Amino acid sequence: MIKTDILIIGAGPTGLFSVFEAGLLKLKCHLIDALPQPGGQCAEIYPKKPIYDIPAYPEVLAGDLVANLMKQIEPFEPGFTLGERAETIEKQNDGSFIVTTNRGTKHHAPVVAIAGGLGSFEPRKPQLDNITNFEDNGIEYIIRDPELYRNKKVAIAGGGDSALDWSIFLADVANEVTLIHRRNEFRGALDSVEKVEVLKRTGKINLITPAEVTALQGNGKLESITIKQEGEEFNLELDHFIPLFGLSPKLGPIANWGLEIEKNAIKVDNTLDYQTNIPGIYAIGDVNTYPGKLKLILCGFHEATLMCQSAYKRIFPDKKYVMKYTTVSGVDGFDGSRKEAEKAVVKSIK
């Protein structure tokens, strides 16, 4: 059983920033995310896309924003349960909650903050008749451990950043990498497209465009795929097929937790602390809705801050917290580190 002060469901920017705000209040956080790494959409879907509306950053790549948030919260030593989806929640007699993931990992906390962005992301699957027969038996929709593909024959389908970046990465891991895309043009970052073209010329990647996968073959485990290109079909023997067609956001099991739902978002009772209709459960970031809601990262940061203040009062109802600016109080990490402004040296005048 993992125990923490605030259990955060969703490790996107809003969830990550919550760790910092909670840390200032000496509250520990643990985060659950169905994706294999922190960062949410910013890390999984568009890590190399620029964001222009983050204060003090005229322009910042989504992946760099995540990296900076991870560095900012490092002193507060958050815990992570990654690659697992929050499945069930049980309220305890003392008002706390036990959240169990789809893999049976249990978490116990007095406060739960749902920061799931647009919800839990489910892969967009190609329309192939027997695809479910080979899931986890040669077909993966998310790459969790690149070593799984060491010295294997791998085919990746897709035309975005994920397909390009993983093709580049696995070129030095797998025995053979084939990238399949239905168009000649890719939607990814220009430098990634150029790297793939170089790897193709040097024979480290097989590039098949415009083409699509039309069938799967295997006996219990995937053995080959059928590729259609310019009206002709041929088979490609392989060990793994990874369709990377993006992720579809859904509330998932959270929709069954008794929360008030409005248009696939969690309705919050007020904008004072973003608590839901269940006391002790908060919803912050793009996953929530209320009058005047704006689905912006900077709004999620604001909501996370107010949520943490309310969570502190819930956890310590008899304590009074006096807010101090970090410029005055500094930042004390749980790892023993301290950041503070240099103090002026006062000299006596004779």
Side-chain angles (χ1 to χ4, degrees):
M1 182 87 70
I2 297 171
K3 294 187 177 183
T4 190
D5 294 320
I6 301 178
L7 180 63
I8 303 170
I9 299 173
T14 296
L16 294 176
F17 188 68
S18 299
V19 176
F20 177 79
E21 288 297 325
L24 296 179
L25 300 168
K26 308 301 181 188
L27 298 177
K28 290 282 288 185
C29 293
H30 191 94
L31 301 93
I32 302 174
D33 202 295
L35 295 176
Q37 74 283 317
Q41 295 182 69
C42 288
E44 183 67 19
I45 300 178
Y46 50 87
K48 294 185 178 180
K49 298 294 185 186
I51 302 175
Y52 301 104
D53 59 356
I54 302 298
Y57 284 100
E59 177 182 332
V60 60
L61 296 182
D64 291 343
L65 176 63
V66 171
N68 287 338
L69 285 166
M70 290 295 290
K71 184 177 180 180
Q72 185 179 25
I73 68 175
E74 185 178 356
F76 298 116
E77 301 179 330
F80 290 92
T81 298
L82 299 174
E84 300 184 30
R85 183 182 64 246
E87 195 80 14
T88 63
I89 189 167
E90 301 171 74
K91 192 166 187 175
Q92 306 303 295
N93 292 333
D94 63 355
S96 63
F97 302 91
I98 292 179
V99 175
T100 306
T101 70
N102 60 318
R103 295 192 177 184
T105 308
K106 293 184 178 294
H107 309 75
H108 184 211
V111 169
V112 174
I114 302 172
L118 297 173
S120 62
F121 290 99
E122 297 181 8
R124 292 190 176 97
K125 303 178 183 181
Q127 298 299 309
L128 298 170
D129 291 338
N130 57 344
I131 192 167
T132 57
N133 297 343
F134 301 110
E135 290 175 350
D136 296 325
N137 285 301
I139 290 182
E140 295 84 34
Y141 304 107
I142 295 175
I143 297 176
R144 291 186 170 87
D145 181 12
E147 283 300 311
L148 176 67
Y149 310 101
R150 175 72 62 182
N151 300 324
K152 303 290 186 179
K153 293 182 178 180
V154 179
I156 294 175
D161 284 314
S162 291
L164 291 164
D165 292 345
W166 278 118
S167 296
I168 294 166
F169 185 90
L170 292 179
D172 292 324
V173 176
N175 183 50
E176 181 180 296
V177 174
T178 301
L179 177 58
I180 306 159
H181 183 40
R182 57 180 178 159
R183 298 188 179 93
N184 288 319
E185 300 79 21
F186 289 87
R187 303 184 309 277
L190 180 59
D191 65 317
S192 296
V193 175
E194 291 174 346
K195 286 178 183 177
V196 166
E197 290 175 347
V198 171
L199 290 170
K200 176 193 175 184
R201 289 198 298 270
T202 57
K204 296 199 71 174
I205 285 180
N206 302 318
L207 184 60
I208 304 176
T209 62
E212 61 180 331
V213 176
T214 57
L216 310 168
Q217 297 85 31
N219 184 14
K221 190 178 186 310
L222 185 67
E223 297 172 359
S224 66
I225 59 176
T226 300
I227 301 172
K228 184 175 182 180
Q229 183 181 32
E230 297 179 349
E232 300 288 332
E233 289 191 334
F234 60 94
N235 286 353
L236 176 69
E237 293 185 359
L238 44 63
D239 300 297
H240 295 275
F241 174 47
I242 311 169
L244 297 176
F245 297 146
L247 301 168
S248 177
K250 295 181 180 179
L251 276 180
I254 292 174
N256 302 317
W257 286 7
L259 300 166
E260 192 174 353
I261 307 297
E262 184 178 290
K263 295 181 179 178
N264 204 42
I266 300 171
K267 191 174 180 180
V268 294
D269 282 354
N270 58 70
T271 56
L272 299 176
D273 59 8
Y274 306 97
Q275 197 160 191
T276 68
N277 60 302
I278 300 178
I281 301 180
Y282 300 77
I284 54 177
D286 287 356
V287 77
N288 74 12
T289 185
Y290 53 85
K293 169 69 181 182
L294 294 176
K295 292 182 182 293
L296 297 172
I297 293 175
L298 63 92
C299 294
F301 291 163
H302 164 77
E303 294 168 12
T305 304
L306 296 188
M307 177 276 294
C308 288
Q309 295 287 325
S310 177
Y312 181 89
K313 295 174 185 175
R314 178 176 176 82
I315 297 170
F316 301 112
D318 299 327
K319 288 186 179 181
K320 184 177 181 180
Y321 174 74
V322 179
M323 193 193 82
K324 294 181 180 179
Y325 300 111
T326 55
T327 51
V328 176
S329 62
V331 176
D332 291 305
F334 298 154
D335 59 358
S337 63
R338 176 165 176 77
K339 296 179 181 178
E340 62 180 329
E342 291 185 10
K343 291 182 174 59
V345 177
V346 179
K347 294 182 179 180
S348 61
I349 301 175
K350 295 180 181 180

